[in-house]
Amino acid sequence: QVSGRRAALATAYAAIGDYERQLSQTLLTGLARLQRVQVYGITDPARLAERVPTFGIRHSRLAPQALAEWLDARGIFVWNGNFYALPLTEALGLEPEGLVRIGMLHYNTLAEVKRLLAALAELE
């Protein structure tokens, strides 16, 4: 039981953070098993508190737009491009294609993460 609006918000945000880290850990563990997928950013599950639950990936055979469209055809919605981080994607040598962006937020489910990983495994 939490008393007060500030305490309730702090408790809610902590719970959201814990849930997003659980989803992110599942995603990172699954992505690490995929030989054709490269993850950009922090990938160590022990360091999840140091990153946001948004992931940038590339596939060795499919360009980001083609991968996003392939996933879209399976009802999995991701984004492709540079997401207003053009200096970063240029520095990483990812332009003009950019990368695929996956968000693991409080409104996502573990089942969705597993479905995404299963779809990506089809491309192995």
Side-chain angles (χ1 to χ4, degrees), residues 10-32:
T11 300
Y13 280 116
I16 288 169
D18 290 343
Y19 181 71
E20 289 174 348
R21 281 186 291 281
Q22 176 190 4
L23 294 177
S24 296
Q25 182 166 359
T26 301
L27 179 67
L28 284 175
T29 300
L31 292 175

Side-chain angles (χ1 to χ4, degrees), residues 62 64-80 100 115-116 119-120 123:
L62 294 175
Q65 182 174 345
L67 179 57
E69 289 171 356
W70 189 86
L71 290 167
D72 178 58
R74 286 147 185 81
I76 299 170
F77 306 111
V78 296
W79 304 265
N80 66 285
V100 171
R115 193 162 63 89
L116 168 63
L120 291 170
L123 297 172

Side-chain angles (χ1 to χ4, degrees), residues 40 58 87-98:
Y40 292 84
R58 293 280 299 249
L88 173 64
T89 53
E90 286 177 335
L92 293 171
L94 301 177
E95 286 302 321
E97 293 88 10

Side-chain angles (χ1 to χ4, degrees), residues 5-69:
R5 178 182 245 174
R6 181 178 299 272
L9 285 171
T11 300
Y13 280 116
I16 288 169
D18 290 343
Y19 181 71
E20 289 174 348
R21 281 186 291 281
Q22 176 190 4
L23 294 177
S24 296
Q25 182 166 359
T26 301
L27 179 67
L28 284 175
T29 300
L31 292 175
R33 294 184 181 123
L34 302 174
Q35 298 298 311
R36 296 188 181 275
V37 174
Q38 179 179 359
V39 181
Y40 292 84
I42 296 170
T43 59
D44 178 359
R47 295 180 58 201
L48 283 174
E50 299 174 41
R51 67 166 299 148
V52 297
T54 302
F55 301 86
I57 67 167
R58 293 280 299 249
H59 191 274
S60 65
R61 287 189 304 155
L62 294 175
Q65 182 174 345
L67 179 57
E69 289 171 356

